[in-house]
Amino acid sequence: MLRTHHCGELRKNDVGKEVTLCGWVDTRRDHGGLIFIDVRDRWGVTQTVFNPAVSKELHGKAEQLRSEYVIQVKGKVTERPPGTENAKLPTGQIEVVAADLEILNTSPTPPFEISGTEPLSEEIRLKYRFLDIRRPSMMRNLTTRHKVTQIAREYFNNLQFIEVETPYLTKSTPEGARDFLVPARLSPGEFYALPQSPQLFKQILMVSGIDRYFQIVRCFRDEDLRADRQLEHTQIDVEMSFVNEEDILGVIENLMAAVVKGVLCREIKTPFLRMPYDEAMNRYGSDKPDLRFGMELRDVTDILKGSQSKIFEESFAKGGVAKGILVPAAASFSRKDLDDLTQYAKDFGAQGLAWFKIQDAVDSPIRKFFSDEQMNRLTRELGAEKGGLILVVTGDWKMVCIVLGALRFHLAQKLNLIARDQLSLHWVVKFPLFEWNDEEKRMQACHHPFTSPQPGDLHLLESEPLKVHARAYDLVFNGTEAGGGSIRIHNRDIQKKVFGILGIEDKDAEEKFGFLLKALEFGAPPHGGIALGLDRLTALLLGLDSIREVIAFPKTQKGICPLSQAPSPVSPRQIKELHLTLKA
Amino acid sequence: MLRTHHCGELRKNDVGKEVTLCGWVDTRRDHGGLIFIDVRDRWGVTQTVFNPAVSKELHGKAEQLRSEYVIQVKGKVTERPPGTENAKLPTGQIEVVAADLEILNTSPTPPFEISGTEPLSEEIRLKYRFLDIRRPSMMRNLTTRHKVTQIAREYFNNLQFIEVETPYLTKSTPEGARDFLVPARLSPGEFYALPQSPQLFKQILMVSGIDRYFQIVRCFRDEDLRADRQLEHTQIDVEMSFVNEEDILGVIENLMAAVVKGVLCREIKTPFLRMPYDEAMNRYGSDKPDLRFGMELRDVTDILKGSQSKIFEESFAKGGVAKGILVPAAASFSRKDLDDLTQYAKDFGAQGLAWFKIQDAVDSPIRKFFSDEQMNRLTRELGAEKGGLILVVTGDWKMVCIVLGALRFHLAQKLNLIARDQLSLHWVVKFPLFEWNDEEKRMQACHHPFTSPQPGDLHLLESEPLKVHARAYDLVFNGTEAGGGSIRIHNRDIQKKVFGILGIEDKDAEEKFGFLLKALEFGAPPHGGIALGLDRLTALLLGLDSIREVIAFPKTQKGICPLSQAPSPVSPRQIKELHLTLKA
């Protein structure tokens, strides 16, 4: 090694040792004829001193040093003179009096200061990612990500899970999202696809008797990038045989406890709350509710029925509901605030937003349509006190839930009601198996087509599929979906029935999923699993908003890597070899 | 869980316990009115007994059981009757007397027996991979692979390496092999490439100060598949900063010792032998010599000079050499054997093969061209005894080495001279930096363009590049290259010089490797690394010839997955979205 110690290592009891350090020039201070160079590496910073009294030549060499030069310094560890210790640094008791210096590499002035704290544009950060990663925050993010994966691997390993690698060049079976395609040069006109998940292969591994599988694996989706999505993301992917829901939930709860303990040194309680989907929607207006604050939704249909309001009465007549939330201490909202909220509600699909300021009297543009009794009951039902604001939406149940759920979260953020230091982990369970896609006029799977129906609902599968619940579960971490999974269908006939309901014809099913159907025929065990988003999980643990903070080389919203400039044009020869032509 | 124990777990001291087992029907034997079902899972086999005296109905249900049905059996653990124990099975002392049976799934008769030992065609195995993996040998192979990765990860983790994930959608920089391309829908006419290795990104991570990086990572090469290559393979990828060759070699030697210990329970000695490339070629005719047997090459140029043989004299006149190997006890080879060897030598580029049988006299078709003195010296130089066979090739040094190296290995296999139970691990070091590509009339990198020249050879870089040695090293495991790496160039000017020698013009270098050159400018530390082939390494540890044995879902020589039928045609809409058309 070119060094004897790293830069975060030396302490008072190393005083007297001859050491060699390597690293980057973090800061340089010229003071009292001496030059102080803080040398930085991944582990920390150590102060080195160049004294012209020790060597004029060496001091002269140190004068050449600029920020981010790479140097090797030899010298003796000494105690810092009293009064010059730095209590903030673990190495702050000592310094290294330089006896030799080698400049291993130079650097122009970087576009931003590595130890600086000023906010930087993401564009600059990604373009100079090799400098950005030198910053302590990015170093911590990547180290934490590493830690999460190591804890997860050790955890699964101890439980006798086997990590099996599944192919990245696989078959295109466009279900949910769009596949990335890879032209197959050796099979003209044909394509591999990059996997959206190893779903089929992990089920095949259960049929193979692997019994307990995990993999930390990249998944690919050629989506139009919404906020904070990436074309490739990493999953902690798990599948188990001969299990029920509770077995998988238990395994993942203990994993989360180990991760939280290992990364944050905090204890979390298991088991986590299991909340049925219907309850989550009814109470929080979300299938991934954030339980770090209240503001629960209340059904006020019965209370508001029989008013003079045409809008409400028409809604109820069509089978609609009315639900409300109480925003504490928000009666002071301005007309503009309320107009903005109304627009927000409309963006999520509401026809309008009814508001009631609870003051000495109830203040609302639609107050006059309701009786005093109705207003009293509304106020009581929501537990509103003077100064509170009640927001009510009416219409189709699901829309009402979603709109109020969105308002609830929006207002909690705005009013700073979220207990940000809390870790809130719980499950949402018993999702519907299917949902109706009104645009495409067809049934679609809420999770994916391999999810098992609840055994008690099997008789409804063909007659009333929308009433069938799934053996599916989502892990919700601080109001974000951190993972999801299900008990799978292990019976070939049920699988074919579900394909049928989804409008996947037999021929199509054979072509796309034939190998799964064949595998299900040859002795498939009951099995189930889950996939956790590693990027998201790491970001949540670190309290970061963007997964790009925990990915070494992320892409932009346009799918571009500002560092390498991928994607890029390729040579005509390369395209020709793939039996393709570019469309003009 | 649907079970209380797995099928490899129950022992004599479990007798009396009520247990539930799940697994596959391995074998069924009807004997003396009883039905014996061996239930199998990943961990082993347990015998269950169905007794009509216990329950007629249950016995009747057991009669329906066929091979590979998936069942759940409840019952009591009992000692097997004396004389019926099976000493070969860890569970052979007990059996489970069934009290309940559930058939979880059925299976048609599988195309091959899971516990069978008859050889199977690879086609059938890959098509029914979900059955093939149930076989104990495949289960062992995948478990071993898992073990290797876990040992490697724990090892690197303990040394404070960080596992960093690098992108799979990256930039096409066609150097060695052909890139797989991925059309970028959001950037019409542009492509991502799947990485042939994370080389550039791991160097960027060193510039970023990550200091110690590893990753177990998939790599992609769109090659015409030679024997035992795959389109995607897995690398244990390592990079370190502030190191010399010896630091990396030491880290990898200890890794190999840990892996061999963990997987095979065997000790291997470190440090490994380091053999310079020139010596490996001279003595073994290979840059990855198998040291588990002798048959070293000897230079016999001086001995054979000045004969009547035109072929030898002409070869020497052109600067050629002559080298020979001794094949022990092979004087009995038939004319046909020797003709075959000659053809073999010609296939590797020799003009011919001279052979000398050492009998009472030397027997050779070209004996007459040489003096007695020459024959005596030849025999002595090669240490030949009566019954031996000396093979000699003359011509260009490298060709002579390669031909004899190939013959050496070929004959050692044929004559069964390889000590197959030995583990032979060593390094080949000091490769040439460049080699001349005679077909394309250009210089090419022996390893890759980022390999550092030996400091002592720097002055030859522009004047005599072919004489420059590289700071490169290969790990050789039983005569197979298990990995390779180098100290990299960390100086931007040297990197540009090397690009120049390789005929990569400045504009091209900027376009392809601009981000590396930029990173090298901003304070790149001295660094180096290595990549080990995980598939190959696992196969070597298990003594398997083919890496397909240690890959869950490999592809055929034609790049096809017989299980999923990838690659496949895709819909016209998918192709259109990528701004492509298929060539007719």
Side-chain angles (χ1 to χ4, degrees):
Chain A
M1 297 285 293
L2 306 184
R3 64 188 166 207
T4 57
H5 295 74
H6 58 65
C7 295
E9 198 170 359
L10 295 171
R11 297 287 182 277
K12 219 170 175 174
N13 58 2
D14 295 307
V15 165
K17 282 187 188 158
E18 300 285 347
V19 301
T20 308
L21 298 180
C22 287
W24 286 263
V25 173
D26 191 60
T27 52
R28 170 182 156 181
R29 294 182 309 282
D30 296 50
H31 186 70
L34 305 174
I35 298 177
F36 295 90
I37 302 286
D38 279 355
V39 190
R40 186 194 65 240
D41 66 12
R42 194 182 107 196
W43 292 274
V45 160
T46 301
Q47 177 168 295
T48 63
V49 192
F50 293 82
N51 188 340
V54 172
S55 158
K56 250 211 144 65
E57 195 202 330
L58 194 60
H59 186 268
K61 214 170 170 184
E63 272 184 333
Q64 300 168 31
L65 296 181
R66 300 286 174 271
S67 280
E68 301 310 313
Y69 275 32
V70 187
I71 59 173
Q72 182 191 48
V73 183
K74 295 183 183 174
K76 195 185 247 182
V77 184
T78 58
E79 223 175 316
R80 291 201 194 182
T84 68
E85 302 94 342
N86 182 345
K88 282 186 207 152
L89 273 187
T91 60
Q93 301 298 310
I94 58 94
E95 59 193 12
V96 173
V97 178
D100 201 1
L101 167 67
E102 192 166 341
I103 298 176
L104 300 171
N105 223 335
T106 60
S107 172
T109 304
F112 50 83
E113 217 184 305
I114 303 302
S115 302
T117 49
E118 78 276 26
L120 300 169
S121 85
E122 191 164 42
E123 199 191 322
I124 283 285
R125 287 181 57 199
L126 292 184
K127 186 171 169 197
Y128 291 93
R129 196 63 157 178
F130 45 89
L131 299 176
D132 190 39
I133 294 177
R134 277 187 211 158
R135 298 164 69 223
S137 57
M138 272 305 294
M139 202 57 91
R140 178 207 57 181
N141 296 354
L142 295 181
T143 308
T144 301
R145 181 188 181 104
H146 164 74
K147 217 168 176 177
V148 173
T149 62
Q150 298 306 316
I151 292 169
R153 285 204 168 90
E154 199 189 332
Y155 174 83
F156 287 116
N157 199 27
N158 287 340
L159 291 177
Q160 301 192 53
F161 281 74
I162 302 181
E163 185 161 15
V164 181
E165 293 179 66
T166 51
Y168 282 134
L169 292 172
T170 180
K171 188 182 166 80
S172 179
T173 52
E175 269 316 281
R178 198 183 281 108
D179 279 329
F180 275 108
L181 297 182
V182 185
R185 185 177 53 87
L186 298 174
S187 304
E190 303 196 345
F191 294 79
Y192 301 101
L194 301 178
Q196 295 183 30
S197 95
Q199 184 62 34
L200 293 179
F201 284 104
K202 71 177 178 172
Q203 291 193 237
I204 294 278
L205 287 171
M206 292 305 101
V207 180
S208 305
I210 287 291
D211 207 293
R212 297 177 170 207
Y213 146 94
F214 83 102
Q215 190 182 188
I216 298 186
V217 62
R218 210 73 58 84
C219 301
F220 303 86
R221 285 179 198 186
D222 187 8
E223 287 179 296
D224 298 319
L225 293 177
R226 284 175 283 160
D228 214 27
R229 285 281 194 126
Q230 288 282 308
L231 301 177
E232 47 182 312
H233 67 279
T234 303
Q235 256 177 222
I236 303 179
D237 198 45
V238 176
E239 199 78 7
M240 299 171 75
S241 289
F242 303 115
V243 290
N244 284 317
E245 287 91 329
E246 278 302 314
D247 301 307
I248 294 173
L249 269 46
V251 162
I252 299 303
E253 286 169 350
N254 288 336
L255 168 69
M256 292 306 300
V259 167
V260 166
K261 173 101 185 168
V263 171
L264 302 178
C265 301
R266 286 173 68 172
E267 306 281 345
I268 49 172
K269 260 199 202 150
T270 58
F272 303 160
L273 178 70
R274 287 120 172 80
M275 185 181 288
Y277 167 83
D278 288 342
E279 183 185 340
M281 291 299 285
N282 263 325
R283 290 176 58 191
Y284 301 98
S286 169
D287 60 0
K288 38 180 186 283
D290 192 331
L291 305 186
R292 293 174 299 170
F293 63 97
M295 276 175 75
E296 288 191 25
L297 281 54
R298 293 292 165 98
D299 190 298
V300 292
T301 313
D302 283 349
I303 295 172
L304 299 185
K305 254 184 193 159
S307 73
Q308 309 292 315
S309 161
K310 253 195 192 167
I311 290 175
F312 276 86
E313 286 305 294
E314 278 173 10
S315 162
F316 296 147
K318 280 190 281 185
V321 301
K323 289 168 87 73
I325 55 172
L326 168 70
V327 193
S332 54
F333 275 15
S334 69
R335 188 68 201 215
K336 165 117 189 12
D337 292 335
L338 293 162
D339 286 349
D340 287 350
L341 287 181
T342 304
Q343 189 52 51
Y344 193 83
K346 285 182 176 170
D347 291 346
F348 279 84
Q351 274 202 290
L353 178 67
W355 53 263
F356 304 86
K357 291 185 174 180
I358 312 304
Q359 289 163 334
D360 289 330
V362 173
D363 170 16
S364 168
I366 58 171
R367 169 68 186 85
K368 57 179 177 267
F369 299 132
F370 298 93
S371 67
D372 289 354
E373 165 68 8
Q374 282 179 312
M375 286 298 98
N376 286 339
R377 283 181 64 199
L378 178 69
T379 309
R380 262 203 317 277
E381 174 65 25
L382 281 142
E385 291 179 9
K386 204 175 143 182
L389 173 73
I390 293 172
L391 301 177
V392 174
V393 177
T394 188
D396 165 69
W397 174 79
K398 197 167 174 184
M399 178 277 286
V400 167
C401 293
I402 288 172
V403 169
L404 282 171
L407 281 170
R408 170 181 178 268
F409 186 68
H410 176 69
L411 287 162
Q413 284 197 301
K414 190 171 156 168
L415 301 173
N416 208 13
L417 301 178
I418 304 173
R420 297 214 168 264
D421 58 331
Q422 266 185 34
L423 294 176
S424 164
L425 283 143
H426 62 95
W427 296 101
V428 173
V429 299
K430 284 195 90 178
F431 283 84
L433 188 60
F434 302 105
E435 61 193 357
W436 180 250
N437 184 326
D438 208 45
E439 260 174 61
E440 301 181 20
K441 300 289 173 209
R442 65 180 188 91
M443 207 68 98
Q444 67 188 28
C446 283
H447 276 72
H448 56 54
F450 316 109
T451 305
S452 176
Q454 295 273 357
D457 294 347
L458 264 181
H459 63 286
L460 301 169
L461 198 52
E462 273 149 315
S463 55
E464 296 186 89
L466 286 171
K467 288 201 176 156
V468 176
H469 289 91
R471 299 180 71 181
Y473 31 80
D474 274 3
L475 177 65
V476 182
F477 187 156
N478 289 353
T480 298
E481 183 195 327
S486 62
I487 300 296
R488 324 298 183 186
I489 299 167
H490 69 279
N491 178 296
R492 183 189 157 99
D493 295 334
I494 296 179
Q495 184 64 73
K496 288 190 98 167
K497 232 177 248 178
V498 168
F499 282 155
I501 292 165
L502 292 171
I504 304 173
E505 285 168 39
D506 278 9
K507 200 183 130 261
D508 256 30
E510 270 309 326
E511 208 177 286
K512 287 178 180 168
F513 309 114
F515 67 114
L516 176 69
L517 288 172
K518 182 148 228 159
L520 291 184
E521 197 181 333
F522 280 88
H527 63 285
I530 193 168
L532 307 173
L534 174 64
D535 310 295
R536 177 63 56 204
L537 177 59
T538 310
L540 283 164
L541 287 164
L542 290 165
L544 298 168
D545 286 330
S546 165
I547 59 171
R548 295 189 296 282
E549 295 292 331
V550 298
I551 297 174
F553 303 106
K555 297 199 172 56
T556 64
Q557 297 270 102
K558 290 184 173 160
I560 287 164
C561 170
L563 179 69
S564 67
Q565 293 298 327
S568 61
V570 298
S571 72
R573 186 184 53 72
Q574 284 176 285
I575 295 173
K576 197 179 152 200
E577 280 182 332
L578 299 175
H579 323 284
L580 295 172
T581 49
L582 293 184
K583 238 179 176 166
Chain B
M1 295 284 293
L2 305 184
R3 65 189 165 206
T4 56
H5 295 76
H6 58 65
C7 294
E9 200 170 358
L10 295 171
R11 298 285 183 279
K12 220 171 175 172
N13 57 4
D14 295 306
V15 165
K17 282 187 188 157
E18 301 284 348
V19 300
T20 308
L21 299 180
C22 287
W24 287 262
V25 173
D26 193 59
T27 53
R28 166 181 159 182
R29 289 182 314 281
D30 296 50
H31 187 66
L34 305 173
I35 298 177
F36 294 91
I37 302 287
D38 279 355
V39 191
R40 186 195 65 238
D41 68 10
R42 195 182 106 196
W43 291 275
V45 161
T46 300
Q47 179 170 294
T48 62
V49 192
F50 293 81
N51 189 339
V54 172
S55 159
K56 251 210 143 68
E57 194 203 330
L58 194 62
H59 186 266
K61 211 169 173 186
E63 270 184 335
Q64 300 167 29
L65 296 181
R66 300 286 175 270
S67 281
E68 303 308 316
Y69 275 31
V70 188
I71 58 174
Q72 182 191 48
V73 183
K74 293 183 184 175
K76 193 183 248 183
V77 184
T78 59
E79 222 175 317
R80 291 201 194 182
T84 68
E85 303 93 343
N86 183 344
K88 281 184 204 152
L89 275 187
T91 60
Q93 301 297 306
I94 59 92
E95 58 193 12
V96 173
V97 178
D100 201 2
L101 167 66
E102 191 166 344
I103 298 177
L104 300 171
N105 223 334
T106 61
S107 172
T109 305
F112 50 83
E113 218 185 304
I114 303 303
S115 302
T117 49
E118 79 276 24
L120 301 169
S121 86
E122 192 164 43
E123 200 191 321
I124 283 285
R125 288 182 56 199
L126 293 184
K127 188 172 168 195
Y128 291 93
R129 195 61 156 182
F130 45 90
L131 299 176
D132 191 38
I133 293 176
R134 280 188 209 158
R135 297 163 70 224
S137 57
M138 273 305 294
M139 204 56 92
R140 177 206 58 183
N141 296 355
L142 294 182
T143 308
T144 301
R145 183 190 180 104
H146 164 72
K147 215 166 177 178
V148 173
T149 61
Q150 298 306 317
I151 293 169
R153 285 203 167 90
E154 197 189 334
Y155 175 83
F156 287 117
N157 200 26
N158 287 339
L159 291 177
Q160 300 192 53
F161 281 74
I162 302 180
E163 185 161 15
V164 182
E165 293 180 67
T166 52
Y168 281 134
L169 292 171
T170 178
K171 191 183 162 79
S172 179
T173 53
E175 269 314 283
R178 196 183 283 108
D179 280 328
F180 274 106
L181 297 182
V182 184
R185 185 177 54 88
L186 299 173
S187 305
E190 303 196 345
F191 294 79
Y192 302 100
L194 301 178
Q196 295 184 29
S197 94
Q199 183 62 36
L200 294 178
F201 285 103
K202 70 178 179 171
Q203 292 194 237
I204 295 278
L205 287 172
M206 293 305 103
V207 180
S208 305
I210 288 291
D211 207 290
R212 296 177 171 209
Y213 147 93
F214 83 102
Q215 189 182 190
I216 299 187
V217 61
R218 210 72 58 84
C219 302
F220 303 85
R221 285 177 196 187
D222 186 9
E223 287 179 296
D224 298 317
L225 293 177
R226 284 175 283 158
D228 214 27
R229 285 281 194 125
Q230 288 281 310
L231 301 177
E232 47 182 314
H233 66 279
T234 304
Q235 255 176 222
I236 303 177
D237 199 45
V238 176
E239 200 78 8
M240 299 171 73
S241 288
F242 303 116
V243 290
N244 285 317
E245 286 92 328
E246 279 302 314
D247 302 306
I248 294 173
L249 269 47
V251 162
I252 298 303
E253 285 169 349
N254 289 336
L255 168 69
M256 292 307 299
V259 166
V260 166
K261 174 101 185 170
V263 171
L264 303 177
C265 301
R266 286 173 68 172
E267 305 280 346
I268 50 172
K269 261 198 198 149
T270 58
F272 305 158
L273 177 72
R274 288 122 171 78
M275 186 182 288
Y277 167 85
D278 289 343
E279 184 185 338
M281 291 299 283
N282 264 323
R283 288 176 60 191
Y284 300 97
S286 170
D287 59 359
K288 40 181 182 289
D290 191 331
L291 304 186
R292 292 175 300 169
F293 62 96
M295 277 177 72
E296 287 190 26
L297 281 54
R298 292 294 165 94
D299 191 298
V300 293
T301 313
D302 283 350
I303 295 171
L304 298 185
K305 251 183 193 162
S307 74
Q308 309 291 313
S309 161
K310 254 193 191 169
I311 289 173
F312 277 85
E313 286 306 292
E314 276 173 11
S315 161
F316 296 147
K318 280 190 279 184
V321 302
K323 290 169 88 73
I325 56 171
L326 169 68
V327 192
S332 55
F333 274 15
S334 70
R335 188 65 202 216
K336 165 116 191 9
D337 292 335
L338 293 162
D339 285 350
D340 287 350
L341 287 181
T342 305
Q343 188 53 51
Y344 193 85
K346 284 180 176 171
D347 291 345
F348 280 83
Q351 275 204 292
L353 177 68
W355 54 262
F356 303 87
K357 292 184 173 180
I358 311 305
Q359 290 165 330
D360 290 330
V362 172
D363 171 15
S364 167
I366 58 168
R367 166 69 185 85
K368 58 180 179 269
F369 299 134
F370 297 93
S371 67
D372 289 354
E373 165 67 7
Q374 283 179 310
M375 287 298 100
N376 285 340
R377 283 182 63 197
L378 178 69
T379 310
R380 260 202 319 277
E381 175 64 24
L382 280 142
E385 289 182 10
K386 208 176 140 182
L389 172 73
I390 293 172
L391 301 176
V392 174
V393 176
T394 187
D396 164 69
W397 174 79
K398 196 166 174 183
M399 178 277 288
V400 167
C401 292
I402 287 172
V403 169
L404 282 171
L407 280 169
R408 170 181 177 269
F409 186 69
H410 176 69
L411 286 162
Q413 283 198 298
K414 188 171 158 167
L415 300 173
N416 208 12
L417 301 178
I418 304 173
R420 296 215 169 262
D421 58 329
Q422 267 185 34
L423 294 176
S424 164
L425 284 145
H426 63 94
W427 297 100
V428 172
V429 300
K430 283 195 90 174
F431 284 83
L433 187 61
F434 302 106
E435 60 192 358
W436 180 248
N437 183 324
D438 207 44
E439 261 173 59
E440 300 181 20
K441 301 289 173 208
R442 66 179 187 92
M443 207 67 96
Q444 65 188 30
C446 284
H447 276 70
H448 57 54
F450 316 108
T451 306
S452 175
Q454 294 273 356
D457 295 347
L458 264 182
H459 63 285
L460 300 170
L461 197 52
E462 272 149 315
S463 55
E464 295 186 89
L466 286 170
K467 287 201 176 156
V468 176
H469 288 90
R471 298 181 72 179
Y473 32 80
D474 275 3
L475 177 64
V476 182
F477 186 156
N478 290 352
T480 298
E481 185 194 325
S486 62
I487 300 295
R488 325 297 183 187
I489 299 167
H490 69 278
N491 177 296
R492 182 187 158 101
D493 295 334
I494 296 178
Q495 185 64 73
K496 289 192 98 167
K497 232 178 245 178
V498 167
F499 282 154
I501 293 165
L502 292 171
I504 304 173
E505 283 167 40
D506 278 8
K507 198 181 132 267
D508 256 30
E510 270 311 325
E511 208 176 286
K512 289 178 179 170
F513 309 114
F515 67 112
L516 176 69
L517 289 171
K518 183 148 229 159
L520 291 183
E521 197 179 332
F522 278 88
H527 63 284
I530 193 168
L532 306 174
L534 175 64
D535 311 294
R536 178 65 56 205
L537 177 59
T538 310
L540 283 164
L541 288 165
L542 290 166
L544 298 169
D545 286 332
S546 165
I547 59 171
R548 293 188 298 282
E549 296 292 331
V550 298
I551 297 173
F553 303 106
K555 295 199 172 57
T556 64
Q557 297 271 102
K558 288 183 175 162
I560 288 166
C561 171
L563 179 69
S564 67
Q565 294 298 329
S568 60
V570 297
S571 73
R573 186 184 52 75
Q574 283 177 287
I575 296 172
K576 197 179 152 199
E577 281 182 332
L578 300 174
H579 324 284
L580 295 173
T581 50
L582 293 185
K583 238 181 176 162

